[in-house]
């Protein structure tokens, strides 16, 4: 690739890939290892995890095989039903399975009292109970050494005129400010938006702009979380990412893929170029500022049909591939082509990077880290799945809650 005069020479492709992989880490969702389903049912898998220990064990497997998933996102009601009392167990599990507690996700959508919302509920009693749960979650995060408290609200309405949208916005501002005040130094609030489901007329935090304004109003340690499944099909997600980067408000991602709505399918299974374009915006921003933006990469998927651990290993490997491809774009040459409005050449830089087979270099990187070159094959040969199917199988039939 010709080097324009005065520009620093491009290092070998595999060097760029290895450097990118050295800095890439992705967090796994505990609920991705449990039996989950849709409103039409749940197909139970004998090997699925249902205890916190089993979720740590499975996440530990994926981290041991890939080397890039050192933390597990926890959902308070599903993983820490005793709240702070459950938190004591985390230290033992982290030591036993080699993965730490990651983002703490309060649950403000499962209980009956949240029928008309949590932070946005017209009943002040319910609002303060919701606030109490978030404050408890901040304390849990402190107790288990987690930085991020990741907030998603199902709050909204199903019919026009049934909710005072501006009043609810004000309650969200007040409760997010109260939540922010409880943060310990170094902790962050991540505000996740979603346009619809389970609410189908309005959702209180319906898009990136609402999440950004609420995060700003909450305080300096609040950021926006982008769940790739939480967009209308025609939305340009990487443009939203570019704006959040420019605003210094991009806190993290929930990666998954979708064909229609919030399908929570495995990353890159439908539109891998979408995730590549997102990673490209981040890599070009990092190149411009000469530093790594502080972004939490996380997976948020529900594996209703695929084997849960296989699906998670597949997800991590595809994420590595797409991140590695995005690290191959020559940002200086691209900027020059953009300045010259050389459209085909500019787009060509992305297409060249995206169509580069990075898998051989990734395998070399894994071997250089004493990791299996093919984590999926290593998992299949490990006998782990057979072991947990035998251990957990007898219990499968009686599965009840969502995750
Ligand atoms: C909501 C969501 C949120 C989680 C849940 C499991 O759709 O993306 O991030 O709490 O899925
Ligand atoms: Mn999510």
């Amino acid at each position: 690739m010709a080097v324009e005069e005065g520009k620093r020479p491009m290092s070998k492709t595999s060097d760029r890939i290895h450097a990118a992989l050295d800095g890439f880490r992705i967090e796994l969702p505990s609920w991705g290892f449990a039996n989950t389903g849709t409103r039409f049912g749940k197909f139970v898998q004998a090997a699925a995890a249902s205890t916190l220990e089993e979720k740590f064990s499975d996440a530990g497997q994926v981290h041991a095989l890939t080397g890039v998933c050192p933390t597990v996102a926890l959902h308070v009601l599903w993983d820490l039903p005793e709240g702070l009392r459950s938190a004591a167990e985390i230290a033992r599990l982290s030591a036993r399975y080699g993965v730490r507690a990651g983002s703490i996700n309060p649950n403000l959508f499962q209980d009956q009292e949240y029928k008309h919302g949590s932070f946005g509920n017209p009943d002040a009693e319910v609002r303060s109970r919701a606030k109490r749960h978030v404050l408890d979650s901040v304390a849990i995060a402190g107790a288990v050494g987690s930085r991020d408290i990741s907030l998603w609200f199902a709050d909204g309405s199903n019919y026009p005129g049934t909710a005072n949208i501006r009043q609810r916005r004000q309650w969200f501002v007040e409760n997010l400010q109260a939540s922010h005040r409880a943060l310990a130094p170094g902790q962050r609030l991540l505000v996740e938006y979603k346009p619809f489901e389970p609410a189908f007329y309005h959702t209180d935090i319906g898009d990136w702009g609402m999440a950004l304004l609420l995060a700003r109003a909450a305080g300096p340690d609040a950021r926006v979380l982008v769940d790739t499944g939480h967009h209308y099909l025609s939305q340009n997600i990487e443009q939203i990412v570019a704006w959040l980067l420019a605003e210094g408000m991009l806190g993290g991602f929930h990666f998954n893929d979708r064909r229609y709505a919030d399908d929570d399918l495995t990353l890159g299974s439908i539109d891998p170029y979408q995730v590549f374009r997102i990673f490209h915006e981040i890599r070009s921003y990092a190149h411009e500022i000469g530093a790594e933006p502080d972004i939490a990469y996380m997976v948020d998927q529900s594996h209703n049909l695929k084997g849960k651990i296989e699906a998670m290993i597949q997800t991590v490997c595809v994420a590595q591939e797409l991140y590695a491809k995005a690290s191959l774009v020559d940002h200086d040459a691209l900027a020059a082509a953009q300045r010259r409005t050389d459209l085909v050449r500019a787009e060509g830089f992305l297409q060249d990077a995206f169509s580069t087979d990075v898998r051989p270099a990734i395998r070399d990187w894994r071997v250089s880290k004493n990791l299996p070159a093919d984590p999926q094959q290593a998992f299949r040969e490990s006998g782990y799945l057979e072991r947990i199917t035998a251990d957990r199988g007898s219990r499968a039939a009686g599965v009840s809650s969502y995750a």
Side-chain angles (χ1 to χ4, degrees):
M1 195 174 288
V3 177
E4 293 174 48
E5 94 300 322
K7 287 277 172 290
R8 80 175 173 285
M10 284 273 285
S11 63
K12 250 172 352 83
T13 300
S14 52
D15 297 349
R16 292 175 75 100
I17 293 170
H18 290 200
L21 295 175
D22 285 344
F24 183 72
R25 294 294 176 272
I26 190 161
E27 179 165 298
L28 305 178
S30 66
W31 54 93
F33 296 106
N35 275 315
T36 51
T38 70
R39 58 186 166 172
F40 302 106
K42 183 191 294 188
F43 299 104
V44 171
Q45 295 182 22
S50 57
T51 67
L52 188 55
E53 173 137 22
E54 289 167 355
K55 292 168 184 172
F56 266 77
S57 174
D58 296 354
Q61 276 296 304
V62 177
H63 184 48
L65 292 166
T66 64
V68 297
C69 319
T71 56
V72 187
L74 301 177
H75 230 289
V76 175
L77 289 193
W78 303 335
D79 301 320
L80 306 161
E82 313 305 312
L84 264 178
R85 282 194 306 288
S86 308
E89 165 85 342
I90 299 285
R92 180 184 75 77
L93 295 174
S94 297
R96 173 96 175 61
Y97 297 104
V99 283
R100 302 186 316 280
S103 62
I104 300 298
N105 295 255
N107 186 315
L108 295 167
F109 51 87
Q110 187 168 296
D111 296 348
Q112 292 303 307
E113 65 191 340
Y114 296 138
K115 178 178 180 182
H116 299 298
S118 62
F119 277 15
N121 195 302
D123 178 333
E125 247 320 286
V126 176
R127 293 199 301 276
S128 66
R129 272 207 293 277
K131 183 172 64 180
R132 180 73 266 144
H133 178 60
V134 172
L135 298 182
D136 292 348
S137 302
V138 172
I140 288 170
V144 300
S146 292
R147 175 179 68 157
D148 293 337
I149 293 88
S150 192
L151 300 173
W152 173 68
F153 300 88
D155 290 44
S157 66
N158 277 359
Y159 301 97
T162 58
N164 179 328
I165 294 171
R166 285 177 287 100
Q167 172 57 76
R168 294 167 71 98
R169 174 190 162 285
Q170 185 49 38
W171 288 329
F172 267 88
V173 169
E174 290 158 9
N175 287 309
L176 285 169
Q177 287 174 337
S179 306
H180 190 285
R181 282 194 292 276
L183 293 178
Q187 287 189 317
R188 303 188 308 173
L189 282 184
L190 300 180
V191 180
E192 183 176 1
Y193 57 90
K194 185 175 183 178
F196 64 89
E197 190 206 39
F200 293 108
Y201 170 64
H202 100 283
T203 294
D204 287 293
I205 310 184
D207 69 17
W208 70 277
M210 298 175 200
L212 185 146
L213 292 172
L214 284 172
R216 280 245 163 86
D221 299 316
R223 297 284 183 276
V224 175
L225 186 148
V226 176
D227 184 314
T228 49
H230 294 182
H231 301 87
Y232 302 116
L233 284 178
S234 55
Q235 270 185 292
N236 183 326
I237 303 175
E238 61 271 25
Q239 180 183 9
I240 293 170
V241 169
W243 272 67
L244 290 171
L245 284 166
E247 295 289 334
M249 289 298 287
L250 178 63
F253 287 92
H254 276 180
F255 282 120
N256 46 64
D257 211 333
R258 80 283 174 60
R259 184 69 199 77
Y260 301 103
D262 189 19
D263 310 348
D264 281 342
L265 302 177
T266 46
L267 181 147
S269 57
I270 304 295
D271 184 359
Y273 198 45
Q274 167 65 82
V275 178
F276 168 86
R277 297 195 306 270
I278 290 172
F279 281 147
H280 166 64
E281 285 301 331
I282 295 167
R283 302 306 315 146
S284 62
Y285 175 74
H287 180 78
E288 239 165 70
I289 66 167
E292 285 305 317
D294 181 1
I295 298 170
Y297 296 117
M298 301 176 277
V299 174
D300 180 6
Q301 293 169 186
S302 50
H303 307 123
N304 303 335
L305 305 179
K306 286 180 176 178
K308 300 175 190 292
I309 299 172
E310 282 170 292
M312 209 66 93
I313 293 171
Q314 181 190 33
T315 297
V316 172
C317 293
V318 170
Q320 286 182 302
E321 281 173 37
L322 295 169
Y323 192 77
K325 288 171 187 277
S327 72
L328 296 179
V329 174
D330 180 337
H331 298 291
D332 296 331
L334 173 62
Q338 289 169 342
R339 278 194 299 277
R340 286 197 311 276
T341 59
D342 184 339
L343 308 184
V344 173
R345 186 170 166 69
E347 184 189 18
F349 284 114
L350 273 67
Q351 292 174 330
D352 290 352
F354 184 68
S355 54
T356 303
D357 185 356
V358 294
R359 292 172 294 184
I362 294 178
R363 276 196 288 274
D364 297 348
W365 178 83
R366 290 181 179 135
V367 172
S368 74
K369 305 290 180 189
N370 302 322
L371 295 163
D374 179 340
Q376 197 72 270
Q377 194 53 33
F379 173 66
R380 294 204 174 113
E381 291 160 2
S382 71
Y384 182 84
L385 185 57
E386 292 70 13
R387 255 198 329 281
I388 61 173
T389 303
D391 298 354
R392 302 172 191 177
S394 58
R395 179 209 44 232
V399 172
S400 59
S401 82
Y402 174 75

